C-alpha cells in the first residue's frame, strides 16, 4: 500500500521527480567515478608495488652519508659483506637472500637506435637469477659466465627497468622525434659498456676494453639508473678490469616464510645498521598519498552531496505542503502517522535508487571516455594500466544503497513533518 | 433497551488563540443508536463539523468523552484510532476529498489497501470494488480520474470509498453542499437507502432543512451547544 501510494505520488509530478533524480544522479556519478578512480589507481599502484616489493620480502641497503654534489660520492656507514649475507641467511624464517652488487664506479653506456646514438652515464648492477626469475628470462642465459664474456660474439645478458621505456618514450624519443617503443623493440638491443668512464664527470679513456651487452628482458626490480647483469659476472668484471677486491653488495632482498614473520626478521636485521624497507612500508606510503587524494576528491563530493541534499529536503518540504490535503484524506481513511511518513521515505528511496543506478551507469560511461582520452594522450608510456578505474558489483550495490539512504536522510525531516500534519487543518484547506 | 452505538458525555472542545481559549463545543451530551439517521443543523461556526470530526476520531476532546461501541476513542493511540477510523467510520465530505492522482476505482479501493497494508488487492476485494462501482453506477467511470467526472459522480465515488470497508458509521459533512439540487437529492436518497438497507448509523451535517427532515432525529447546535434534540416529526411541526 505504501509503495503503491509512493509510486502514484512520483508519477503525478514527473518533472519534479525528474529534477530531483537529476540532482542526486550528478552526485552519484561523481561519487562512483571518484571511488572507481581511487580504487583503480590504488589497485594499479599496489599491484606494481607488490610486484617489486612482495609483502613477504624485505629490502636492505647499507647506510651511507652524502659527501658532496656527486650523488655517488658517499661515505659508507655500514656495508653488506658476503659474511653478513651468510649470517642473514641463517636468521629464522628467512627462506632466501637475493644480494645485488654493482660494477665499481660509473660506466658509460652507448646504445644505437634508429641511426641515432645515445651515450649516458649509468651504473651496472648485478642480480642473482632469483631476483629476476619472475620475469621469465631463461636461467641458462643468465648463468652463462665465461672468460670471453662481453664480446660481440658473447654479449653480457642485460635486463633493464620496465620504467626505462616510459622514460625513453617520454623524453628521448619525443625530444629527438624518434618512434615510440614497446618492450619488444628493446629486446635484442646491443649496448656498449665503457667501464670507469663518465661523460658527466669528464672521466675519459680509461683504457679498458668496451664490453658488449644485449637486452634480454625487463624487470620492475631492475634499477632505473643502469642495466642489470648477473651478479657473478659483476664480481668477475670488478676483479678482472677494475682491480677491486671489495665484494660487498649494494642491497639485498630477503625473502621471509610468512607475512607474520616479517617483524621478527626486521628486528634481527637491526644489528647490521642497514636501511630496511618492506612491501608493507611501500603500501603504507601509497596509502598515505591516497589519504590526501581521497580527502580532496571526497571533499568535492561532499559539497555536491550537501547541495543535492538541500534540494531533496526543499523538494520534499514543498511536496508535503502541496499534499497537505491528501495527507488529511489519508489520515481520515485510517492511515497512521508512521505510514504517512513511510510513504514519503519510500518515495525518497525510489528516487535515490533510480539515481544511484543511473549515476553508476553514467560514471561507467564517463570513465570509459576518460580512459580513452587519457590512454591516448599517454600512449608513449609502455607500462600503463588497462583502465584507471575499477568497477565492481560491490561498487554498484554500494552506490545504489548509499543513494537510497542519502535521499531518505534528507527526506526524513519533511516526512516527519508530513506525519505531524493535523487531519482537521489539512481537510479544511 | 436500545443499543447506543455512540455515547457522547460532557464533551467540551476549545481552541487556543495565543493565551485566549475559544470554546467551540460546550457540554455536549448525545446518544446515538445503532442504525439511526441523525441530521445536525446549525449556523456556520456553531461547531457542527468539529463535533463530526471528533466522533470520527480526527480531533480530540478538551474534556468529556466519546464512546463508540463502548470504547472511549479519545483514549486510543494513533495506531488504534487510525484502525478504528478505517474499520468503523466512513467519511463523506462536502468537497469530496478524492485523491486526484488515483482513478475512481483506486479511490474506492484505497481504504481496503490501508486495511490490509498491501499494494495489491485480493480477488475478493477486487470483486467488492467492482460490485461497489456497479451499485453506484460508476463502472463506466472506473478508470477515470476525479477531474474527469461530474460532481455527482465524485460524491458517489466518495460514498463508495466510505462504504467499501463496511463501516458501522457514516459521517457526512454537508455532502450535498457542492451539488445541484437534483444531484443532492440523489445523493441523500442513496445515503438514506444505505442507512436503511445496511443498518449503518448515518450522521449528516446539513444546512438544508428538507434534507434534515429526512433523518430520524435532528440535532441543532448553536454556539457550541445542543439546543434541540428532537425527532424529525417534532422538529418539523
Amino acid at each position: 500500500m505504501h509503495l503503491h501510494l509512493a509510486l502514484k505520488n512520483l508519477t503525478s509530478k514527473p518533472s519534479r521527480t525528474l529534477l530531483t533524480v537529476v540532482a542526486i544522479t550528478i552526485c552519484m556519478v561523481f561519487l562512483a567515478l571518484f571511488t572507481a578512480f581511487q580504487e583503480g589507481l590504488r589497485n594499479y599502484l599496489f599491484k606494481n608495488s607488490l610486484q617489486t616489493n612482495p609483502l613477504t620480502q624485505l629490502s636492505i641497503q647499507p647506510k651511507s652519508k652524502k659527501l658532496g654534489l656527486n650523488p655517488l660520492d658517499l661515505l659508507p656507514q655500514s656495508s653488506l659483506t658476503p659474511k653478513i649475507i651468510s649470517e642473514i641467511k641463517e636468521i629464522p624464517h628467512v627462506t632466501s637472500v637475493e644480494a645485488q652488487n654493482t660494477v665499481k664506479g660509473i660506466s658509460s653506456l652507448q646504445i644505437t637506435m634508429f641511426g641515432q646514438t645515445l651515450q649516458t652515464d649509468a651504473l651496472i648492477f648485478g642480480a642473482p637469477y632469483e631476483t629476476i626469475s619472475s620475469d621469465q628470462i631463461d636461467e641458462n642465459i643468465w648463468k652463462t659466465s665465461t672468460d670471453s664474456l662481453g664480446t660481440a660474439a658473447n654479449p653480457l645478458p642485460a635486463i633493464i627497468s620496465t620504467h626505462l621505456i616510459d622514460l625513453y618514450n617520454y623524453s628521448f624519443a619525443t625530444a629527438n622525434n624518434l618512434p615510440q617503443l614497446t618492450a619488444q623493440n628493446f629486446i635484442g638491443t646491443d649496448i656498449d659498456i665503457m667501464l670507469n668512464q663518465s661523460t658527466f664527470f669528464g672521466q675519459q679513456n680509461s683504457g679498458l676494453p668496451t664490453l658488449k651487452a644485449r637486452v634480454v628482458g625487463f624487470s620492475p626490480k631492475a634499477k632505473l639508473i643502469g642495466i642489470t647483469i648477473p651478479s657473478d659476472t659483476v664480481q668477475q668484471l670488478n676483479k678482472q678490469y677494475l682491480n677491486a677486491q671489495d665484494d660487498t653488495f649494494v642491497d639485498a632482498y630477503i625473502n621471509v616464510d610468512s607475512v607474520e614473520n616479517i617483524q621478527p626478521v626486521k628486528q634481527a636485521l637491526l644489528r647490521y645498521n642497514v636501511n630496511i624497507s618492506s612491501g608493507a612500508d611501500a603500501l603504507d606510503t601509497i596509502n598515505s598519498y591516497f589519504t590526501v587524494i581521497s580527502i580532496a576528491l571526497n571533499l568535492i563530493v561532499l559539497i555536491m552531496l550537501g547541495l543535492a541534499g538541500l534540494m531533496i529536503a526543499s523538494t520534499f518540504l514543498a511536496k508535503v505542503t502541496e499534499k497537505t490535503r491528501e495527507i488529511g484524506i489519508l489520515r481520515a481513511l485510517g492511515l497512521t502517522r508512521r505510514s504517512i511518513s513511510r510513504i514519503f521515505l519510500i518515495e525518497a528511496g525510489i528516487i535515490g535508487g533510480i539515481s544511484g543506478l543511473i549515476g553508476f551507469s553514467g560514471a561507467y560511461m564517463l570513465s570509459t571516455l576518460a580512459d580513452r582520452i587519457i590512454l591516448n594522450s599517454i600512449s608513449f608510456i609502455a607500462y600503463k594500466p588497462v583502465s584507471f578505474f575499477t568497477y565492481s558489483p560491490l561498487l554498484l550495490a554500494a552506490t545504489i544503497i548509499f543513494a537510497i539512504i542519502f535521499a531518505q536522510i534528507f527526506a526524513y525531516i519533511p516526512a516527519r513533518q508530513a506525519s505531524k500534519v493535523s487531519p482537521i487543518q489539512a481537510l479544511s484547506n | 433497551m436500545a443499543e447506543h452505538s455512540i455515547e457522547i458525555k460532557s464533551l467540551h472542545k476549545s481552541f487556543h488563540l495565543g493565551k485566549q481559549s475559544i470554546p467551540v463545543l460546550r457540554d455536549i451530551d448525545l446518544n446515538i443508536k445503532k442504525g439511526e439517521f441523525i441530521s445536525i443543523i446549525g449556523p456556520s461556526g456553531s461547531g457542527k463539523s468539529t463535533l463530526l470530526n471528533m466522533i470520527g476520531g480526527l480531533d480530540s476532546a478538551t474534556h468529556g468523552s466519546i464512546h463508540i461501541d463502548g470504547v472511549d476513542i479519545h483514549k486510543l493511540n494513533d495506531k488504534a484510532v487510525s484502525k478504528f477510523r478505517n474499520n468503523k467510520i466512513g467519511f463523506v465530505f462536502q468537497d469530496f476529498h478524492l485523491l486526484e492522482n488515483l482513478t475512481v476505482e483506486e479511490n474506492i479501493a484505497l481504504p481496503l489497501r490501508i486495511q490490509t497494508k498491501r499494494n495489491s488487492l485480493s480477488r475478493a476485494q477486487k470483486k467488492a470494488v467492482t460490485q461497489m462501482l456497479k451499485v453506484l453506477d460508476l463502472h463506466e467511470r472506473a478508470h477515470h480520474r476525479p477531474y474527469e467526472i461530474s460532481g455527482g459522480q465524485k460524491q458517489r465515488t466518495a460514498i463508495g470509498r466510505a462504504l467499501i470497508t463496511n463501516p458501522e458509521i457514516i459521517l457526512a459533512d454537508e455532502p450535498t453542499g457542492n451539488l445541484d439540487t437534483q444531484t443532492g437529492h440523489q445523493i441523500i436518497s442513496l445515503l438514506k437507502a444505505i442507512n436503511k438497507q445496511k443498518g449503518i448509523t448515518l450522521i449528516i451535517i446539513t444546512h438544508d432543512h428538507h434534507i434534515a427532515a429526512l433523518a430520524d432525529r435532528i440535532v441543532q447546535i448553536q454556539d457550541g451547544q445542543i439546543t434541540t434534540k428532537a425527532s424529525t416529526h417534532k422538529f418539523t411541526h
Side-chain angles (χ1 to χ4, degrees):
Chain A
M1 177 265 299
H2 298 99
L3 181 66
H4 175 80
L5 290 171
L7 285 171
K8 287 283 174 188
N9 279 350
L10 283 171
T11 48
S12 67
K13 290 257 179 171
S15 54
R16 185 162 55 189
T17 304
L18 192 71
L19 205 67
T20 320
V21 166
V22 168
I24 308 174
T25 299
I26 293 170
C27 287
M28 293 308 134
V29 165
F30 282 96
L31 186 72
L33 194 72
F34 288 169
T35 311
F37 175 67
Q38 288 173 62
E39 257 330 277
L41 210 56
R42 189 193 296 261
N43 284 346
Y44 172 66
L45 293 177
F46 270 32
K47 194 178 142 198
N48 276 1
S49 171
L50 289 174
Q51 212 174 5
T52 321
N53 305 95
L55 288 173
T56 52
Q57 198 174 65
L58 288 166
S59 162
I60 56 168
Q61 293 91 31
K63 283 185 179 169
S64 56
K65 208 174 175 181
K66 249 184 174 177
L67 287 174
L69 281 175
N70 184 346
L72 301 170
D73 213 356
L74 302 167
L75 178 70
Q77 304 282 297
S78 60
S79 63
L80 282 176
T81 61
K83 183 174 173 279
I84 289 175
I85 295 296
S86 302
E87 281 177 21
I88 291 172
K89 282 180 182 168
E90 299 306 314
I91 294 174
H93 308 296
V94 170
T95 54
S96 64
V97 179
E98 301 162 20
Q100 297 193 49
N101 49 5
T102 178
V103 172
K104 303 299 168 195
I106 299 174
S107 300
S108 195
L109 302 184
Q110 195 171 290
I111 307 170
T112 304
M113 293 185 94
F114 311 110
Q116 294 223 21
T117 303
L118 167 71
Q119 188 165 355
T120 179
D121 284 0
L123 291 175
I124 297 163
F125 295 94
Y129 179 70
E130 294 72 34
T131 308
I132 56 151
S133 60
S134 60
D135 299 277
Q136 296 171 342
I137 295 160
D138 194 329
E139 191 171 359
N140 291 326
I141 294 174
W142 202 249
K143 288 200 167 166
T144 303
S145 179
T146 63
D147 290 343
S148 60
L149 201 72
T151 59
N154 195 16
L156 300 170
I159 58 160
I160 53 179
S161 168
T162 46
H163 306 296
L164 196 68
I165 299 178
D166 296 341
L167 205 63
Y168 164 84
N169 285 335
Y170 185 66
S171 55
F172 189 72
T174 314
N176 294 286
N177 205 20
L178 291 173
Q180 305 280 309
L181 285 183
T182 63
Q184 284 310 312
N185 292 136
F186 259 109
I187 303 286
T189 303
D190 284 333
I191 303 169
D192 287 342
I193 304 170
M194 285 149 280
L195 297 172
N196 214 13
Q197 280 192 34
S198 166
T199 324
F200 188 77
F201 296 107
Q203 285 172 242
Q204 299 289 331
N205 295 324
S206 60
L208 295 171
T210 298
L211 299 174
K212 299 277 182 189
R214 185 166 291 162
V215 178
V216 293
F218 294 87
S219 169
K221 282 187 173 175
K223 293 182 174 55
L224 190 64
I225 52 167
I227 58 170
T228 302
I229 61 172
S231 50
D232 296 343
T233 313
V234 166
Q235 261 183 353
Q236 202 179 326
L237 293 176
N238 278 337
K239 282 179 184 157
Q240 193 172 334
Y241 296 116
L242 300 162
N243 204 21
Q245 298 308 312
D246 176 15
D247 53 359
T248 56
F249 298 95
V250 285
D251 59 21
Y253 291 112
I254 299 160
N255 297 306
V256 179
D257 58 6
S258 70
V259 178
E260 292 75 34
N261 291 326
I262 283 283
Q263 272 312 316
V265 173
K266 248 182 165 179
Q267 282 296 319
L269 290 169
L270 288 177
R271 68 191 180 99
Y272 298 112
N273 191 29
V274 287
N275 290 320
I276 308 165
S277 58
S278 65
D281 293 338
L283 294 188
D284 283 348
T285 311
I286 293 171
N287 265 333
S288 65
Y289 289 138
F290 263 100
T291 310
V292 178
I293 295 171
S294 297
I295 288 170
L297 293 181
N298 292 340
L299 204 68
I300 297 168
V301 174
L302 204 68
I303 293 166
M304 294 178 82
L305 285 175
L307 292 172
L310 286 176
M311 185 171 174
I312 297 169
S314 62
T315 305
F316 272 81
L317 279 173
K319 200 174 262 210
V320 170
T321 311
E322 268 177 33
K323 290 198 174 283
T324 302
R325 192 184 69 94
E326 275 186 32
I327 294 166
I329 298 168
L330 291 170
R331 295 278 288 131
L333 297 180
L335 215 63
T336 59
R337 290 182 190 282
R338 188 180 281 190
S339 286
I340 294 284
S341 128
R342 200 176 290 171
I343 290 168
F344 281 93
L345 290 176
I346 289 174
E347 217 176 303
I350 294 169
I351 289 177
I354 293 169
S355 307
L357 186 65
I358 301 173
F360 183 88
S361 312
Y364 190 81
M365 284 190 275
L366 266 181
S367 51
T368 310
L369 191 71
D371 267 341
R372 199 170 293 176
I373 294 168
I374 298 168
L375 292 173
N376 270 340
S377 63
I378 56 163
S379 56
F380 52 83
I381 294 180
Y383 293 90
K384 52 187 178 278
V386 179
S387 170
F388 286 97
F389 304 87
T390 299
Y391 287 94
S392 62
L394 188 71
L395 183 61
L396 170 66
T399 309
I400 293 172
I401 292 168
F402 177 82
I404 291 171
I405 295 170
F406 168 73
Q408 286 185 329
I409 286 173
F410 280 92
Y412 180 73
I413 292 173
R416 251 182 85 85
Q417 203 165 315
S419 74
K420 285 179 180 171
V421 166
S422 153
I424 301 294
Q425 284 175 359
L427 291 170
S428 62
N429 280 342
Chain B
M1 190 178 131
E3 188 194 340
H4 286 144
S5 172
I6 303 167
E7 288 177 80
I8 302 170
K9 281 183 191 163
S10 311
L11 191 72
H12 187 95
K13 176 74 183 175
S14 47
F15 291 115
H16 294 276
L17 198 68
K19 286 180 181 176
Q20 204 183 352
S21 176
I22 302 162
V24 182
L25 290 175
R26 287 180 287 185
D27 291 324
I28 302 284
D29 286 299
L30 181 66
N31 292 331
I32 300 167
K33 282 183 268 179
K34 196 175 173 72
E36 203 175 357
F37 177 6
I38 299 277
S39 291
I40 301 175
I41 59 168
S44 294
S46 58
K48 306 182 298 290
S49 293
T50 305
L51 178 62
L52 203 76
N53 288 334
M54 289 172 83
I55 295 170
L58 288 175
D59 208 351
S60 57
T62 309
H63 301 298
S65 65
I66 298 177
H67 283 80
I68 295 177
D69 291 340
V71 177
D72 187 347
I73 60 162
H74 293 148
K75 285 188 176 163
L76 299 175
N77 62 20
D78 179 56
K79 193 179 172 184
V81 83
S82 298
K83 193 176 176 186
F84 154 80
R85 270 200 299 271
N86 182 257
N87 290 337
K88 298 209 169 187
I89 307 285
F91 283 101
V92 179
F93 302 98
Q94 180 183 354
D95 294 331
F96 324 121
H97 286 325
L98 299 173
L99 295 190
E100 296 294 319
N101 56 349
L102 301 186
T103 62
V104 165
E105 188 179 34
E106 286 169 334
N107 264 292
I108 291 175
L110 189 55
L112 290 176
R113 287 187 200 274
I114 293 172
Q115 196 170 56
T116 56
K117 293 179 183 169
R118 285 188 167 181
N119 290 313
S120 57
L121 296 175
S122 67
R123 195 176 290 175
Q125 285 173 327
K126 277 182 191 165
K127 201 175 165 188
V129 173
T130 310
Q131 188 68 24
M132 186 64 75
L133 285 164
K134 278 185 186 161
V135 167
L136 296 169
D137 197 21
L138 287 167
H139 52 285
E140 284 179 2
R141 297 286 181 185
H143 302 296
H144 286 74
R145 308 257 169 196
Y147 54 82
E148 296 169 330
I149 57 175
S150 69
Q153 286 168 331
K154 281 182 191 174
Q155 199 56 297
R156 272 185 279 148
T157 306
I159 291 168
R161 185 180 65 185
L163 290 172
I164 197 69
T165 53
N166 294 317
E168 291 175 15
I169 303 159
I170 295 281
L171 303 173
D173 192 349
E174 299 191 45
T176 60
N178 278 343
L179 302 173
D180 59 73
T181 315
Q182 195 190 344
T183 315
H185 280 293
Q186 283 171 0
I187 292 296
I188 290 300
S189 301
L190 179 66
L191 288 171
K192 193 170 166 63
I194 290 161
N195 163 249
K196 292 298 164 208
Q197 285 164 17
K198 296 197 170 190
I200 294 173
T201 308
L202 177 62
I203 305 171
I204 286 183
I205 290 176
T206 183
H207 283 113
D208 187 331
H209 281 253
H210 296 292
I211 291 170
L214 295 170
D216 301 328
R217 199 150 51 110
I218 295 173
V219 174
Q220 188 172 31
I221 297 181
Q222 198 146 12
D223 295 330
Q225 286 182 307
I226 294 178
T227 53
T228 316
K229 280 188 276 188
S231 68
T232 319
H233 179 73
K234 272 187 184 176
F235 192 84
T236 49
H237 291 86

